[in-house]
Amino acid sequence: MLQVGFLFSLTVGLTILIYQCSIPAFEGLFPPNHDAIIRVLLFCLCEWHALAKLRLHSNDSLALLDEALKKLGTQIWRFQEGTCEIFKTYELPSEAAARQRRQQAQAESGCQVKPTPSTARLKKFNILTYKFHALGGYTRTIRMFGTTDSYTTQIGESAHRIIKKFYRHTNKKDVAMGLTKYERRVTRIQQQPDSLAGEATIPAAEISDDSSPELHHIMHPLPCNVFNLASFLRENRSDPAVKDFIPKMKDHLLSRLHGYEYDGDECSFTDDERNDLRIIGGLNRAIQSTVLRINYTTYDIRCRQDVLQPGPGCFVFTLLREDGPDAHPFWYAQVLRAFHIEVLHTGPDARCRSLQSMEVLWVRWLGVEPKYRWGFHKAWLLKVGFVLESDDNAFGFLDPSLVICGCHLIPCFLDGRTTVLLKQGHSVARDPTEEDDQHSFYVNMYVVCHFTNTLQAEDNLIDLQTGTYFVTSHG
């Protein structure tokens, strides 16, 4: 028997992070006909929620919200009549135990309690609640009062957490006075740097530019992060991930030095041309950046920054440089390492013969799953997978200035894991605890990001016709 918590998690009462990531988790758990109903319901929930929580609306987006509500209502009825009637759901053991404790406490206090069975009670999916009733008023409310982030209950809930945090620092007696004094103390401490700003001058070199919105990206070349590329390549020479590492890196750097426009395929250079590119300090003096910060502008004209740590779990996307009716607008990549390389170009065609420091990302590319149908009309998320190791472009290099921002890829659990994409065993392209790869990933279009301590909202507006992001990159 399925327990009530399992199916009820499909309803509107789902928390944001659960249902936005739940489509791959529920895939394949039910018979095919019910699996399709649940998948479409979850997709419609995500679509409606993404539109309802937008921080910038127009007449067109509100019309799309109305259409999304109609689709959501249809799917809720299908779920209730086609799936909920088939499966019997019961209370969780913890819920049944809590009910018994409440009844026992009421009986001990002398209250008359209607006896109920001690076993778990049958529970049914109920749409006659205010949560479902309120869905129809979102568009009208947004037209009257503005976007929902202006009056969401999350603001009050977050403020309540602050009060509870302050309460721990009071004497628990005169609570109102204690909270007031502590709030004043915290405010004065926060104002101290501003009051001292005119008395002391901070050298410009000591001011961190991590949050500077004028820069597209930030990669600090810290001397403590010196990386010995020669030893790294020698120790992993049997790993397919590092095959032709130096020729590929030099081809990438030479393409940028010559000013060639990046179209996804690196230009090939001769050995003599590669020898004209000197790496200052040799391969044992490269500097590795452990943190990559990407600045970008969201659909509602806000500056945002993604803080990424290169490694097996770091995914980014960049604009596609291909044309065609079936071409997807983005490329996806796993950032394995981020390097600062000091080079000197001495060739006859060199455009600059001075010492130059170049930033480069070593990436593993992902491609769109072939013959896979996805989109809003199919109620399927985009599916991508790693490129086969036999492909010369499976691993490569990317200019960090071409990165739009980070992306959220969810493993497709139903497809399982495989060693076809990269031979089994330890690899620098994998987590140290893994010897195989996830077969494919879903691109989570509905990812939620924290932009303050109190609010959550989507930073990427989705084109509901093509399933693509509206993200404006700096530069």
Side-chain angles (χ1 to χ4, degrees):
M1 292 293 183
L2 293 174
Q3 294 179 333
V4 65
F6 189 59
L7 280 179
F8 268 41
S9 62
L10 302 175
T11 66
V12 178
L14 280 165
T15 59
I16 295 173
L17 290 179
I18 290 178
Y19 73 71
Q20 288 187 336
C21 303
S22 62
I23 295 177
F26 280 98
E27 185 181 11
L29 295 182
F30 293 88
N33 55 333
H34 299 294
D35 186 72
I37 293 175
I38 293 171
R39 171 180 55 80
V40 176
L41 172 60
L42 289 173
F43 195 94
C44 290
L45 276 170
C46 293
E47 180 183 351
W48 179 88
H49 180 268
L51 288 166
K53 298 288 284 186
L54 288 180
R55 299 190 300 257
L56 182 66
H57 267 293
S58 64
N59 290 332
D60 291 339
S61 64
L62 291 175
L64 290 173
L65 179 58
D66 285 332
E67 290 298 322
L69 178 60
K70 293 178 183 178
K71 292 192 292 184
L72 177 59
T74 301
Q75 289 305 128
I76 289 174
W77 278 106
R78 288 188 61 193
F79 174 69
Q80 183 186 36
E81 297 181 357
T83 299
C84 294
E85 295 298 327
I86 302 299
F87 298 96
K88 291 184 178 180
T89 58
Y90 293 87
E91 287 179 317
L92 294 171
S94 58
E95 293 174 329
R99 176 168 51 81
Q100 292 297 321
R101 289 194 298 269
R102 287 195 301 270
Q103 292 179 354
Q104 184 178 359
Q106 291 173 355
E108 292 175 354
S109 63
C111 299
Q112 292 185 354
V113 181
K114 183 179 179 180
T116 58
S118 58
T119 57
R121 293 190 300 185
L122 183 68
K123 303 286 285 187
K124 291 187 177 181
F125 180 67
N126 180 23
I127 64 173
L128 301 178
T129 64
Y130 177 74
K131 286 183 178 180
F132 287 99
H133 176 74
L135 295 180
Y138 268 74
T139 302
R140 183 174 65 255
T141 303
I142 292 172
R143 291 186 186 276
M144 292 177 61
F145 302 109
T147 54
T148 55
D149 62 305
S150 302
Y151 44 84
T152 174
T153 57
Q154 290 175 342
I155 300 175
E157 291 169 357
S158 298
H160 179 62
R161 295 192 191 102
I162 296 175
I163 297 299
K164 292 175 68 175
K165 181 179 179 181
F166 286 179
Y167 178 77
R168 296 196 296 266
H169 299 276
T170 65
N171 58 8
K172 314 298 189 298
K173 295 179 180 179
D174 190 354
V175 177
M177 181 60 70
L179 291 174
T180 303
K181 288 182 177 180
Y182 192 80
E183 187 276 332
R184 288 288 83 203
R185 192 179 303 124
V186 171
T187 301
R188 292 191 187 100
I189 293 174
Q190 292 175 344
Q191 291 175 346
Q192 283 182 1
D194 295 334
S195 63
L196 299 176
E199 301 178 10
T201 302
I202 302 176
E206 297 181 10
I207 300 176
S208 174
D209 59 352
D210 286 352
S211 59
S212 176
E214 291 81 10
L215 302 175
H216 170 270
H217 64 276
I218 298 135
M219 290 171 52
H220 289 303
L222 301 178
C224 60
N225 291 332
V226 173
F227 188 79
N228 193 328
L229 260 178
S231 298
F232 173 77
L233 297 176
R234 184 169 56 253
E235 294 169 359
N236 298 281
R237 57 182 175 272
S238 61
D239 191 340
V242 300
K243 180 182 178 182
D244 297 330
F245 184 95
I246 298 301
K248 287 182 178 179
M249 184 179 69
K250 286 195 171 184
D251 287 347
H252 172 80
L253 296 176
L254 285 170
S255 297
R256 290 167 57 182
L257 290 171
H258 283 293
Y260 298 154
E261 183 177 357
Y262 182 70
D263 60 357
D265 295 325
E266 300 286 3
C267 298
S268 295
F269 294 87
T270 64
D271 290 339
D272 292 337
E273 290 173 320
R274 291 169 183 159
N275 291 333
D276 291 336
L277 182 66
R278 295 173 52 193
I279 298 177
I280 305 303
L283 296 178
N284 57 350
R285 295 295 298 173
I287 296 181
Q288 179 180 216
S289 289
T290 56
V291 176
L292 169 64
R293 301 174 187 270
I294 304 294
N295 291 322
Y296 61 96
T297 306
T298 63
Y299 69 92
D300 59 340
I301 322 300
R302 298 192 185 196
C303 294
R304 293 289 298 129
Q305 184 181 87
D306 278 351
V307 181
L308 309 173
Q309 185 175 3
C314 179
F315 296 98
V316 298
F317 69 102
T318 182
L319 286 175
L320 180 68
R321 267 73 177 178
E322 294 179 1
D323 297 324
D326 297 328
H328 184 63
F330 302 113
W331 278 324
Y332 300 87
Q334 179 188 48
V335 181
L336 302 176
R337 295 283 195 281
F339 295 113
H340 291 266
I341 308 291
E342 290 192 345
V343 299
L344 186 64
H345 193 195
T346 60
D349 299 330
R351 303 172 66 182
C352 178
R353 298 181 182 275
S354 302
L355 182 67
Q356 301 180 66
S357 179
M358 303 186 69
E359 299 170 336
V360 62
L361 304 179
W362 181 38
V363 300
R364 184 182 184 186
W365 291 105
L366 296 98
V368 177
E369 194 79 12
K371 299 181 181 180
Y372 175 78
R373 307 296 295 176
W374 68 280
F376 287 86
H377 59 291
K378 296 288 185 180
W380 277 108
L381 296 173
L382 172 66
K383 185 185 288 188
V384 297
F386 289 120
V387 178
L388 283 168
E389 65 170 291
S390 57
D391 192 314
D392 290 337
N393 295 320
F395 295 87
F397 294 88
L398 179 65
D399 184 351
S401 65
L402 298 179
V403 173
I404 296 177
C405 62
C407 63
H408 184 208
L409 301 186
I410 311 173
C412 180
F413 304 107
L414 187 63
D415 290 348
R417 304 182 68 86
T418 180
T419 57
V420 174
L421 305 174
L422 186 65
K423 74 172 186 178
Q424 185 175 8
H426 170 73
S427 173
V428 294
R430 295 183 177 130
D431 188 274
T433 61
E434 297 176 349
E435 294 187 350
D436 53 7
D437 296 307
Q438 191 68 41
H439 186 278
S440 55
F441 299 85
Y442 285 115
V443 179
N444 187 8
M445 300 185 295
Y446 304 107
V447 64
V448 173
C449 299
H450 293 270
F451 67 93
T452 67
N453 291 331
T454 59
L455 295 179
Q456 292 177 330
E458 289 75 6
D459 280 341
N460 298 326
L461 176 62
I462 308 301
D463 184 341
L464 296 183
Q465 304 302 322
T466 62
T468 58
Y469 295 90
F470 276 118
V471 181
T472 304
S473 177
H474 287 62

